[in-house]
Amino acid sequence: MSSRAVIVGGSVGGVRTAQALRSNGYAGQVIVIDAEPHLPYDKPPLSKGFLDNSLGLDRLHLISKKEVEESKIDLLLGAKAVGLDLQNGLVSLEGGAQIGYDNLIISTGVRARQSPWEVSDGVYLLRTLDDAMGLKEKMTKSHSVVIVGGGFIGAEVAATARKYGLDVAIVDPLEFPIGRVLGDEVGERFVGLHHENGVSTHFGIGVESISRESNGLVVGLSDGSKLIADFAIVGIGAVPNVEWLASSGLVLDNGVVCDEFCRAVGQANVYGVGDVARWYHARLGELVRVEHWTNAVEQAECVARNILNDGDPQSYVPVPYVWSDQYNWKIQIAGETSSSGEVVVIEDPSRAGRFAALYADSSGAYRGVATVNWPKAMIRCRRMLETRQDLSVPVQLVREMVSGT
Amino acid sequence: MPTIKADLELCQGYANCVMEAPKYFDINDEGVVVVLKEKFGEEDRARVETAVRSCPVTALQIEE
Ligand SMILES: Cc1cc2nc3c(=O)[nH]c(=O)nc-3n(C[C@H](O)[C@H](O)[C@H](O)COP(=O)(O)OP(=O)(O)OC[C@H]3O[C@@H](n4cnc5c(N)ncnc54)[C@H](O)[C@@H]3O)c2cc1C
Ligand code: SF4
């Protein structure tokens, strides 16, 4: 009897799961369902190349129409899942249709956290293609913007807004926003980068209000000051899309809770992939949910293999990896970099702006690396994270790369 | 034999391909991919396809 895999959520996690199922020999039917009408597209360029017009829409596709056909993937676009019946193996769609599955993959991702400040217009979020198109138009027509949130997306959008020639102010309650991920010592360098590029930072300060007044959009800060701009972009995190699963009986807690094999807990044929999945990471010994591109792809590969070998599933224990482009910095991060232990920063004097930061845990073991404009050092150090090392080992490697020995 | 093609203009040096298939890919000093072996046999197909799918900028392709 032929079987059927139904994948709900057709972005990078869902599409890569479909491709990996085929590439590993899955012979049954593969259906990918997505609420959006667009051919599956990729999100990282939405704050970078697509937003600054250096990449066209054609470069955003995650899969071509030709490959969809050749791989026999059934794409159901503009179809929103609204319910799940685990007992009978059925996904319900808006409008009343139901689709049966033998294996279900949940890859509904996250959405941008709504702005808590209610203003009639002028406050933008960035998560989807439609969001990015609206933002492009707004950037073309405007002179100034306030960005609320100094994380990756906020910083990337600030850099892009500068390319449009806008006056940019950025606000975040933390003094070193990127320090959340990279520790304060390295986070401080990222603040300097904003300044070098003419962005005014208001860090360590909260936003109290946003209102529309005759002179523009007014953002009131917790230190009593006010910022005035044509519009604002709010990038304050994301929320898992799990509402459609609310009455399904699946365990939901900041995402779909999964076991170490990425199976929804207590279910033999339901899997979570990508930003929505909170799985038990066996090496870290805790539940984690990761909102990064490479995680979605690696998890998709693991889930596809586990579906095909469900008698002998592999646990999913990735070394996290993320990149970001801000101004002229190409940033790459691997492993665990929120500094609980020693951090060693090594600069390359022959290339301005190039450095690597190496992170240890409290026992002195090497756990993570961040590099700026240094892909070669990154790949060497990233591969070293696969086995346990003392921090001194990657430190010596990078020093040798600097001295050219 | 299937052949790996890399678009060096598109490559951003993210090196996901090197992680997935170090036998076939590396990064040079400029941070651009180097295809170590262009041809691959069927036994390595799944691995190479995984590497191709892991590239964030679709700089890699397989020509049959
Ligand atoms: C602007 C931006 C820039 C980014 N930059 C980077 C970067 O530089 N590096 C990096 O590593 N990561 C980056 N990311 C993160 C990366 O894009 C995500 O990790 C990735 O998109 C996760 O993929 P996903 O498939 O799990 O979920 P999502 O991309 O969130 O996709 C979920 C899909 O599910 C669909 N869906 C949701 N609910 C339903 C429903 N009920 N029924 C049907 N369909 C549904 C949605 O329409 C959507 O298409 C960025 C994200 C954004 C928004
Ligand atoms: S994964 Fe893609 S971008 Fe990264 S090094 Fe390989 S080819 Fe280049």
Side-chain angles (χ1 to χ4, degrees), chain A residues 11-12 31 48 73 112 115 127 135 137 159 174 215 247 284 314 316 333 341 343 347 362 367 374-375 379:
Chain A
S11 185
V12 63
I31 302 180
K48 315 178 183 77
I73 295 168
S115 158
R127 179 77 196 172
L135 209 48
E137 200 190 322
L174 289 189
N215 52 348
S247 60
L284 302 178
Q314 303 294 308
Y316 180 56
I333 304 163
V343 185
E347 299 188 359
S362 47
R367 295 303 290 271
W374 208 348
I379 186 63

PDB file of all heavy atoms in Angstrom, chain A residues 11-12 31 48 73 112 115 127 135 137 159 174 215 247 284 314 316 333 341 343 347 362 367 374-375 379:
ATOM      1  N   SER A  11       7.759  26.449   3.890  1.00  0.00           N
ATOM      2  CA  SER A  11       8.930  27.306   3.762  1.00  0.00           C
ATOM      3  C   SER A  11      10.166  26.397   3.783  1.00  0.00           C
ATOM      4  O   SER A  11      10.075  25.233   3.404  1.00  0.00           O
ATOM      5  CB  SER A  11       8.920  28.339   4.882  1.00  0.00           C
ATOM      6  OG  SER A  11       9.977  29.244   4.715  1.00  0.00           O
ATOM      7  N   VAL A  12      11.294  26.921   4.235  1.00  0.00           N
ATOM      8  CA  VAL A  12      12.513  26.120   4.066  1.00  0.00           C
ATOM      9  C   VAL A  12      12.437  24.771   4.788  1.00  0.00           C
ATOM     10  O   VAL A  12      12.840  23.734   4.230  1.00  0.00           O
ATOM     11  CB  VAL A  12      13.779  26.935   4.455  1.00  0.00           C
ATOM     12  CG1 VAL A  12      13.789  27.349   5.901  1.00  0.00           C
ATOM     13  CG2 VAL A  12      15.026  26.175   4.105  1.00  0.00           C
ATOM     14  N   ILE A  31       2.818  15.651   0.087  1.00  0.00           N
ATOM     15  CA  ILE A  31       1.987  16.847  -0.074  1.00  0.00           C
ATOM     16  C   ILE A  31       2.531  17.947   0.831  1.00  0.00           C
ATOM     17  O   ILE A  31       2.772  17.708   2.018  1.00  0.00           O
ATOM     18  CB  ILE A  31       0.524  16.552   0.338  1.00  0.00           C
ATOM     19  CG1 ILE A  31      -0.044  15.398  -0.501  1.00  0.00           C
ATOM     20  CG2 ILE A  31      -0.355  17.798   0.181  1.00  0.00           C
ATOM     21  CD1 ILE A  31      -1.487  15.042  -0.163  1.00  0.00           C
ATOM     22  N   LYS A  48      17.857  41.619   3.625  1.00  0.00           N
ATOM     23  CA  LYS A  48      19.177  41.930   3.052  1.00  0.00           C
ATOM     24  C   LYS A  48      19.026  42.203   1.553  1.00  0.00           C
ATOM     25  O   LYS A  48      18.493  43.231   1.159  1.00  0.00           O
ATOM     26  CB  LYS A  48      20.140  40.765   3.299  1.00  0.00           C
ATOM     27  CG  LYS A  48      20.090  40.191   4.713  1.00  0.00           C
ATOM     28  CD  LYS A  48      21.041  39.008   4.865  1.00  0.00           C
ATOM     29  CE  LYS A  48      20.966  38.366   6.231  1.00  0.00           C
ATOM     30  NZ  LYS A  48      19.770  37.506   6.424  1.00  0.00           N
ATOM     31  N   ILE A  73       6.184  16.353  -6.065  1.00  0.00           N
ATOM     32  CA  ILE A  73       5.740  16.943  -4.804  1.00  0.00           C
ATOM     33  C   ILE A  73       4.429  17.670  -5.093  1.00  0.00           C
ATOM     34  O   ILE A  73       4.347  18.437  -6.052  1.00  0.00           O
ATOM     35  CB  ILE A  73       6.805  17.923  -4.259  1.00  0.00           C
ATOM     36  CG1 ILE A  73       8.084  17.164  -3.896  1.00  0.00           C
ATOM     37  CG2 ILE A  73       6.272  18.696  -3.053  1.00  0.00           C
ATOM     38  CD1 ILE A  73       9.284  18.043  -3.613  1.00  0.00           C
ATOM     39  N   ALA A 112       6.180  37.079  13.208  1.00  0.00           N
ATOM     40  CA  ALA A 112       6.770  38.192  13.948  1.00  0.00           C
ATOM     41  C   ALA A 112       5.853  38.561  15.111  1.00  0.00           C
ATOM     42  O   ALA A 112       4.625  38.588  14.962  1.00  0.00           O
ATOM     43  CB  ALA A 112       6.950  39.389  13.018  1.00  0.00           C
ATOM     44  N   SER A 115       3.488  44.269  17.323  1.00  0.00           N
ATOM     45  CA  SER A 115       3.847  45.457  18.087  1.00  0.00           C
ATOM     46  C   SER A 115       2.802  45.671  19.179  1.00  0.00           C
ATOM     47  O   SER A 115       1.617  45.682  18.916  1.00  0.00           O
ATOM     48  CB  SER A 115       3.858  46.659  17.141  1.00  0.00           C
ATOM     49  OG  SER A 115       3.698  47.839  17.887  1.00  0.00           O
ATOM     50  N   ARG A 127       8.475  39.613   8.266  1.00  0.00           N
ATOM     51  CA  ARG A 127       8.614  38.158   8.323  1.00  0.00           C
ATOM     52  C   ARG A 127       8.366  37.531   6.944  1.00  0.00           C
ATOM     53  O   ARG A 127       9.036  36.606   6.550  1.00  0.00           O
ATOM     54  CB  ARG A 127       7.618  37.577   9.344  1.00  0.00           C
ATOM     55  CG  ARG A 127       7.656  36.062   9.484  1.00  0.00           C
ATOM     56  CD  ARG A 127       8.843  35.599  10.296  1.00  0.00           C
ATOM     57  NE  ARG A 127       9.112  34.181  10.128  1.00  0.00           N
ATOM     58  CZ  ARG A 127      10.164  33.551  10.603  1.00  0.00           C
ATOM     59  NH1 ARG A 127      11.058  34.213  11.313  1.00  0.00           N
ATOM     60  NH2 ARG A 127      10.350  32.275  10.393  1.00  0.00           N
ATOM     61  N   LEU A 135       7.627  47.009   2.829  1.00  0.00           N
ATOM     62  CA  LEU A 135       8.719  47.767   3.440  1.00  0.00           C
ATOM     63  C   LEU A 135       9.591  48.450   2.380  1.00  0.00           C
ATOM     64  O   LEU A 135      10.032  49.586   2.552  1.00  0.00           O
ATOM     65  CB  LEU A 135       9.558  46.788   4.263  1.00  0.00           C
ATOM     66  CG  LEU A 135      10.291  47.310   5.477  1.00  0.00           C
ATOM     67  CD1 LEU A 135       9.390  48.141   6.355  1.00  0.00           C
ATOM     68  CD2 LEU A 135      10.856  46.121   6.262  1.00  0.00           C
ATOM     69  N   GLU A 137       8.643  49.526  -0.500  1.00  0.00           N
ATOM     70  CA  GLU A 137       7.929  50.688  -1.005  1.00  0.00           C
ATOM     71  C   GLU A 137       8.037  51.843  -0.019  1.00  0.00           C
ATOM     72  O   GLU A 137       8.293  52.989  -0.397  1.00  0.00           O
ATOM     73  CB  GLU A 137       6.468  50.300  -1.224  1.00  0.00           C
ATOM     74  CG  GLU A 137       5.743  51.223  -2.160  1.00  0.00           C
ATOM     75  CD  GLU A 137       4.245  50.946  -2.162  1.00  0.00           C
ATOM     76  OE1 GLU A 137       3.872  49.749  -2.087  1.00  0.00           O
ATOM     77  OE2 GLU A 137       3.477  51.910  -2.221  1.00  0.00           O
ATOM     78  N   ALA A 159      20.945  48.374   8.502  1.00  0.00           N
ATOM     79  CA  ALA A 159      21.987  48.469   7.472  1.00  0.00           C
ATOM     80  C   ALA A 159      21.361  48.722   6.100  1.00  0.00           C
ATOM     81  O   ALA A 159      21.844  49.546   5.319  1.00  0.00           O
ATOM     82  CB  ALA A 159      22.829  47.194   7.466  1.00  0.00           C
ATOM     83  N   LEU A 174      18.509  46.431  25.763  1.00  0.00           N
ATOM     84  CA  LEU A 174      19.839  46.008  26.202  1.00  0.00           C
ATOM     85  C   LEU A 174      20.903  46.992  25.732  1.00  0.00           C
ATOM     86  O   LEU A 174      20.816  47.554  24.644  1.00  0.00           O
ATOM     87  CB  LEU A 174      20.186  44.637  25.632  1.00  0.00           C
ATOM     88  CG  LEU A 174      19.450  43.423  26.182  1.00  0.00           C
ATOM     89  CD1 LEU A 174      20.100  42.152  25.649  1.00  0.00           C
ATOM     90  CD2 LEU A 174      19.435  43.410  27.694  1.00  0.00           C
ATOM     91  N   ASN A 215       3.712  65.875  13.227  1.00  0.00           N
ATOM     92  CA  ASN A 215       5.070  65.924  12.662  1.00  0.00           C
ATOM     93  C   ASN A 215       5.635  64.547  12.323  1.00  0.00           C
ATOM     94  O   ASN A 215       6.781  64.408  11.951  1.00  0.00           O
ATOM     95  CB  ASN A 215       6.001  66.659  13.638  1.00  0.00           C
ATOM     96  CG  ASN A 215       5.942  66.086  15.041  1.00  0.00           C
ATOM     97  OD1 ASN A 215       5.055  65.279  15.352  1.00  0.00           O
ATOM     98  ND2 ASN A 215       6.867  66.487  15.877  1.00  0.00           N
ATOM     99  N   SER A 247      -6.330  22.237  19.850  1.00  0.00           N
ATOM    100  CA  SER A 247      -7.191  21.207  20.436  1.00  0.00           C
ATOM    101  C   SER A 247      -6.813  19.805  19.969  1.00  0.00           C
ATOM    102  O   SER A 247      -7.557  18.855  20.143  1.00  0.00           O
ATOM    103  CB  SER A 247      -8.654  21.499  20.089  1.00  0.00           C
ATOM    104  OG  SER A 247      -8.783  21.505  18.675  1.00  0.00           O
ATOM    105  N   LEU A 284      22.768  18.568  24.859  1.00  0.00           N
ATOM    106  CA  LEU A 284      22.582  19.670  25.804  1.00  0.00           C
ATOM    107  C   LEU A 284      21.712  19.249  26.978  1.00  0.00           C
ATOM    108  O   LEU A 284      21.695  19.892  28.018  1.00  0.00           O
ATOM    109  CB  LEU A 284      21.949  20.873  25.103  1.00  0.00           C
ATOM    110  CG  LEU A 284      22.731  21.424  23.913  1.00  0.00           C
ATOM    111  CD1 LEU A 284      21.984  22.578  23.275  1.00  0.00           C
ATOM    112  CD2 LEU A 284      24.118  21.874  24.358  1.00  0.00           C
ATOM    113  N   GLN A 314      17.512   8.306  14.257  1.00  0.00           N
ATOM    114  CA  GLN A 314      18.719   8.973  14.761  1.00  0.00           C
ATOM    115  C   GLN A 314      18.315  10.194  15.564  1.00  0.00           C
ATOM    116  O   GLN A 314      17.397  10.912  15.167  1.00  0.00           O
ATOM    117  CB  GLN A 314      19.581   9.449  13.586  1.00  0.00           C
ATOM    118  CG  GLN A 314      19.994   8.354  12.633  1.00  0.00           C
ATOM    119  CD  GLN A 314      20.928   7.356  13.290  1.00  0.00           C
ATOM    120  OE1 GLN A 314      21.941   7.746  13.880  1.00  0.00           O
ATOM    121  NE2 GLN A 314      20.578   6.073  13.236  1.00  0.00           N
ATOM    122  N   TYR A 316      18.595  13.976  16.886  1.00  0.00           N
ATOM    123  CA  TYR A 316      18.994  15.214  16.214  1.00  0.00           C
ATOM    124  C   TYR A 316      19.829  16.045  17.181  1.00  0.00           C
ATOM    125  O   TYR A 316      19.308  16.609  18.138  1.00  0.00           O
ATOM    126  CB  TYR A 316      17.740  15.959  15.755  1.00  0.00           C
ATOM    127  CG  TYR A 316      18.044  17.259  15.045  1.00  0.00           C
ATOM    128  CD1 TYR A 316      18.874  17.266  13.928  1.00  0.00           C
ATOM    129  CD2 TYR A 316      17.516  18.463  15.488  1.00  0.00           C
ATOM    130  CE1 TYR A 316      19.176  18.443  13.279  1.00  0.00           C
ATOM    131  CE2 TYR A 316      17.805  19.651  14.829  1.00  0.00           C
ATOM    132  CZ  TYR A 316      18.636  19.636  13.735  1.00  0.00           C
ATOM    133  OH  TYR A 316      18.936  20.797  13.089  1.00  0.00           O
ATOM    134  N   ILE A 333      28.276  32.434  12.973  1.00  0.00           N
ATOM    135  CA  ILE A 333      28.300  31.987  14.368  1.00  0.00           C
ATOM    136  C   ILE A 333      28.018  30.487  14.408  1.00  0.00           C
ATOM    137  O   ILE A 333      27.078  30.025  13.764  1.00  0.00           O
ATOM    138  CB  ILE A 333      27.205  32.726  15.180  1.00  0.00           C
ATOM    139  CG1 ILE A 333      27.388  34.243  15.074  1.00  0.00           C
ATOM    140  CG2 ILE A 333      27.203  32.276  16.636  1.00  0.00           C
ATOM    141  CD1 ILE A 333      26.167  35.032  15.481  1.00  0.00           C
ATOM    142  N   GLY A 341      31.750  31.146  29.891  1.00  0.00           N
ATOM    143  CA  GLY A 341      33.164  30.948  30.224  1.00  0.00           C
ATOM    144  C   GLY A 341      34.038  31.964  29.516  1.00  0.00           C
ATOM    145  O   GLY A 341      33.586  33.039  29.143  1.00  0.00           O
ATOM    146  N   VAL A 343      36.218  33.993  26.803  1.00  0.00           N
ATOM    147  CA  VAL A 343      36.071  34.364  25.397  1.00  0.00           C
ATOM    148  C   VAL A 343      37.408  34.924  24.928  1.00  0.00           C
ATOM    149  O   VAL A 343      37.976  35.790  25.586  1.00  0.00           O
ATOM    150  CB  VAL A 343      35.006  35.466  25.206  1.00  0.00           C
ATOM    151  CG1 VAL A 343      34.787  35.751  23.725  1.00  0.00           C
ATOM    152  CG2 VAL A 343      33.692  35.082  25.872  1.00  0.00           C
ATOM    153  N   GLU A 347      42.123  39.254  16.302  1.00  0.00           N
ATOM    154  CA  GLU A 347      41.936  40.080  15.119  1.00  0.00           C
ATOM    155  C   GLU A 347      42.988  39.720  14.077  1.00  0.00           C
ATOM    156  O   GLU A 347      44.067  39.264  14.415  1.00  0.00           O
ATOM    157  CB  GLU A 347      42.064  41.557  15.487  1.00  0.00           C
ATOM    158  CG  GLU A 347      41.011  41.957  16.502  1.00  0.00           C
ATOM    159  CD  GLU A 347      40.976  43.445  16.763  1.00  0.00           C
ATOM    160  OE1 GLU A 347      41.786  44.173  16.162  1.00  0.00           O
ATOM    161  OE2 GLU A 347      40.131  43.867  17.572  1.00  0.00           O
ATOM    162  N   SER A 362      32.228  26.833  31.195  1.00  0.00           N
ATOM    163  CA  SER A 362      32.886  27.118  32.472  1.00  0.00           C
ATOM    164  C   SER A 362      34.011  26.117  32.769  1.00  0.00           C
ATOM    165  O   SER A 362      34.886  26.394  33.578  1.00  0.00           O
ATOM    166  CB  SER A 362      31.849  27.132  33.595  1.00  0.00           C
ATOM    167  OG  SER A 362      31.026  25.992  33.479  1.00  0.00           O
ATOM    168  N   ARG A 367      33.363  25.679  22.957  1.00  0.00           N
ATOM    169  CA  ARG A 367      31.950  25.449  22.689  1.00  0.00           C
ATOM    170  C   ARG A 367      31.368  26.232  21.514  1.00  0.00           C
ATOM    171  O   ARG A 367      30.315  25.874  20.997  1.00  0.00           O
ATOM    172  CB  ARG A 367      31.105  25.790  23.943  1.00  0.00           C
ATOM    173  CG  ARG A 367      31.376  24.905  25.115  1.00  0.00           C
ATOM    174  CD  ARG A 367      31.159  23.439  24.780  1.00  0.00           C
ATOM    175  NE  ARG A 367      29.761  23.123  24.592  1.00  0.00           N
ATOM    176  CZ  ARG A 367      28.936  22.755  25.564  1.00  0.00           C
ATOM    177  NH1 ARG A 367      29.375  22.649  26.789  1.00  0.00           N
ATOM    178  NH2 ARG A 367      27.681  22.486  25.297  1.00  0.00           N
ATOM    179  N   TRP A 374      35.484  36.396   7.819  1.00  0.00           N
ATOM    180  CA  TRP A 374      36.550  35.404   7.889  1.00  0.00           C
ATOM    181  C   TRP A 374      36.005  33.979   7.700  1.00  0.00           C
ATOM    182  O   TRP A 374      36.106  33.128   8.588  1.00  0.00           O
ATOM    183  CB  TRP A 374      37.259  35.532   9.240  1.00  0.00           C
ATOM    184  CG  TRP A 374      38.679  35.105   9.221  1.00  0.00           C
ATOM    185  CD1 TRP A 374      39.352  34.426   8.246  1.00  0.00           C
ATOM    186  CD2 TRP A 374      39.623  35.329  10.279  1.00  0.00           C
ATOM    187  NE1 TRP A 374      40.645  34.223   8.614  1.00  0.00           N
ATOM    188  CE2 TRP A 374      40.849  34.766   9.848  1.00  0.00           C
ATOM    189  CE3 TRP A 374      39.555  35.953  11.525  1.00  0.00           C
ATOM    190  CZ2 TRP A 374      41.987  34.819  10.649  1.00  0.00           C
ATOM    191  CZ3 TRP A 374      40.683  35.997  12.311  1.00  0.00           C
ATOM    192  CH2 TRP A 374      41.898  35.437  11.877  1.00  0.00           C
ATOM    193  N   PRO A 375      35.434  33.693   6.534  1.00  0.00           N
ATOM    194  CA  PRO A 375      34.814  32.380   6.313  1.00  0.00           C
ATOM    195  C   PRO A 375      35.770  31.209   6.483  1.00  0.00           C
ATOM    196  O   PRO A 375      35.371  30.140   6.954  1.00  0.00           O
ATOM    197  CB  PRO A 375      34.324  32.445   4.859  1.00  0.00           C
ATOM    198  CG  PRO A 375      34.200  33.898   4.551  1.00  0.00           C
ATOM    199  CD  PRO A 375      35.247  34.595   5.381  1.00  0.00           C
ATOM    200  N   ILE A 379      35.048  27.992   8.983  1.00  0.00           N
ATOM    201  CA  ILE A 379      34.841  26.575   8.661  1.00  0.00           C
ATOM    202  C   ILE A 379      35.832  25.695   9.419  1.00  0.00           C
ATOM    203  O   ILE A 379      35.481  24.626   9.919  1.00  0.00           O
ATOM    204  CB  ILE A 379      34.846  26.312   7.132  1.00  0.00           C
ATOM    205  CG1 ILE A 379      34.477  24.854   6.833  1.00  0.00           C
ATOM    206  CG2 ILE A 379      36.154  26.680   6.467  1.00  0.00           C
ATOM    207  CD1 ILE A 379      33.096  24.440   7.243  1.00  0.00           C
TER     208      ILE A 379
END
